[in-house]
Amino acid sequence: MENGKLQQTLAGCIELSGKTLHSGKVSKVKIWPGFAGEGRYFEFHSNLIPASIDFVRESLLCTTLCKDGYKIRTVEHLLSALEAKGIDNCRIQIQSLDSEDTEVEVPFFDGSANAWVEAIEQVGRKEALDRCGNNVEKLAPHLSEPFYVSRNDSFMAAFPASKVHISCGIDFPKVPAIGCQWFSSAALDDSYEKHIACSRTFCIYEEVEHMCSMGLIKGGSLDNAIVCSATKGWLNPPLRFPDEPCRHKVLDLIGDLSLFARSGSQGFPMARVISFKGGHSLNADFVRRLSGITVQET
């Protein structure tokens, strides 16, 4: 539905590099302004991979895009920042220090989206023009009916609404320091930068050994995640918010739902979205289901 806005892009180029979470390698990202109508897409070894649900592949503990044998992992924090800050069109050039790699990860920084938000703020935003020099209206998806997806005791539901609103819940009964938390936000306004972007990835200390045995979190440390023990509580306080784990789930949710974006439109639907005990796989199920129902985008 029309929202009176024009598609936007970056006013300059962003270049950041850093250590990645799962491989532990260093990668470099350069984000260029994009043409209106072309959306957000990655470039890896000259291969273009749109930031679209069509290219999402099942992976553990992150969201992965895959095309023609090339994989880009842990895209959710970057995409969350781009969606929330209204960067509708851009080319995301990414490279690993090993030129032979066919798989690369987005740098993880402190486990939040802060670095990306600060970089976007620094270069600024401008109206995007198409290849003919014309501006393009930004469309937003509106639901025509409620729907939900579920996996075991986890679920996501969406209800038609005139504005974006997210309510997210998590429940860790065996980890008292986290327990059951709920957080609600309008998400795509100024509250994102203040209350969501700086929330960090969290993990349960007792699960770390198992994740390492699966070849994951090789780059994980107390500097890029908040770690909680079932018996000892938080191992690297202080938290930025008492409900920081739940807020981080909202950060991830925005990044994953941005994958519904088409041709520079808004990805996150104009809806009231409720998520309980969700994760990347459930988020992807939600977007695929959203792609299969009647959505107004005018």
Side-chain angles (χ1 to χ4, degrees):
M1 186 170 289
E2 299 177 4
N3 59 15
K5 298 179 180 179
L6 297 174
Q7 291 187 18
Q8 302 289 304
T9 190
L10 294 168
C13 186
I14 290 172
E15 186 170 346
L16 293 176
S17 61
K19 193 174 184 180
T20 61
L21 175 63
H22 293 300
S23 71
K25 297 180 179 181
V26 172
S27 66
K28 180 179 178 180
V29 172
K30 197 167 186 178
I31 310 177
W32 302 82
F35 289 102
E38 297 189 4
R40 297 180 284 255
Y41 59 94
F42 288 84
E43 181 182 346
F44 179 42
H45 289 320
S46 301
N47 292 273
L48 303 184
I49 307 178
S52 164
I53 190 63
D54 296 335
F55 299 95
V56 172
R57 297 296 178 265
E58 191 82 12
S59 60
L60 293 171
L61 303 179
C62 68
T63 296
T64 299
L65 298 173
C66 181
K67 183 176 180 238
D68 298 331
Y70 291 94
K71 290 183 179 180
I72 303 174
R73 304 174 69 192
T74 325
V75 300
E76 57 271 15
H77 297 174
L78 169 56
L79 293 180
S80 180
L82 292 172
E83 176 77 4
K85 299 300 291 181
I87 306 301
D88 309 306
N89 304 277
C90 60
R91 175 166 60 96
I92 307 164
Q93 196 172 38
I94 186 167
Q95 63 184 65
S96 170
L97 294 186
D98 185 346
S99 61
E100 300 299 315
D101 282 344
T102 58
E103 182 175 315
V104 69
E105 283 183 72
V106 175
F108 206 63
F109 304 117
D110 70 347
S112 77
N114 251 355
W116 298 116
V117 169
E118 290 172 359
I120 292 168
E121 286 290 319
Q122 186 173 2
V123 302
R125 193 176 67 176
K126 68 178 183 179
E127 180 183 309
L129 301 177
D130 66 17
R131 291 182 181 270
C132 295
N134 301 312
N135 57 40
V136 177
E137 186 172 21
K138 180 175 181 175
L139 306 179
H142 284 244
L143 300 185
S144 58
E145 59 188 41
F147 78 98
Y148 76 94
V149 294
S150 62
R151 284 192 179 193
N152 301 318
D153 60 346
S154 304
F155 73 86
M156 285 182 65
F159 303 88
S162 59
K163 296 180 180 180
V164 170
H165 190 276
I166 302 173
S167 293
C168 181
I170 59 175
D171 188 22
F172 290 82
K174 295 182 180 180
V175 188
I178 300 178
C180 185
Q181 301 178 3
W182 281 91
F183 177 74
S184 295
S185 174
L188 300 186
D189 58 15
D190 292 340
S191 67
Y192 177 85
E193 188 171 345
K194 296 176 182 178
H195 303 297
I196 298 171
C198 57
S199 58
R200 296 163 292 177
T201 296
F202 69 98
C203 71
I204 310 304
Y205 175 74
E206 288 77 9
E207 298 176 357
V208 168
E209 184 176 348
H210 175 64
M211 289 187 285
C212 290
S213 71
M214 298 176 69
L216 302 171
I217 64 168
K218 293 177 181 177
S221 73
L222 294 177
D223 295 324
N224 58 21
I226 46 176
V227 183
C228 192
S229 166
T231 57
K232 298 178 181 179
W234 292 104
L235 302 185
N236 54 338
L239 300 188
R240 293 173 179 171
F241 307 96
D243 54 359
E244 187 172 357
C246 196
R247 293 177 190 233
H248 186 79
K249 286 290 189 178
V250 173
L251 187 161
D252 282 346
L253 179 64
I254 294 167
D256 289 343
L257 266 61
S258 77
L259 295 163
F260 184 69
R262 302 165 182 171
S263 305
S265 66
Q266 180 173 305
F268 205 102
M270 302 294 280
R272 182 176 182 86
V273 176
I274 301 172
S275 172
F276 182 64
K277 299 180 69 172
H280 296 299
S281 293
L282 188 67
N283 295 345
D285 286 349
F286 180 92
V287 179
R288 291 188 184 99
R289 176 75 189 279
L290 184 63
S291 301
I293 67 171
T294 304
V295 176
Q296 297 176 342
E297 196 172 37
T298 60

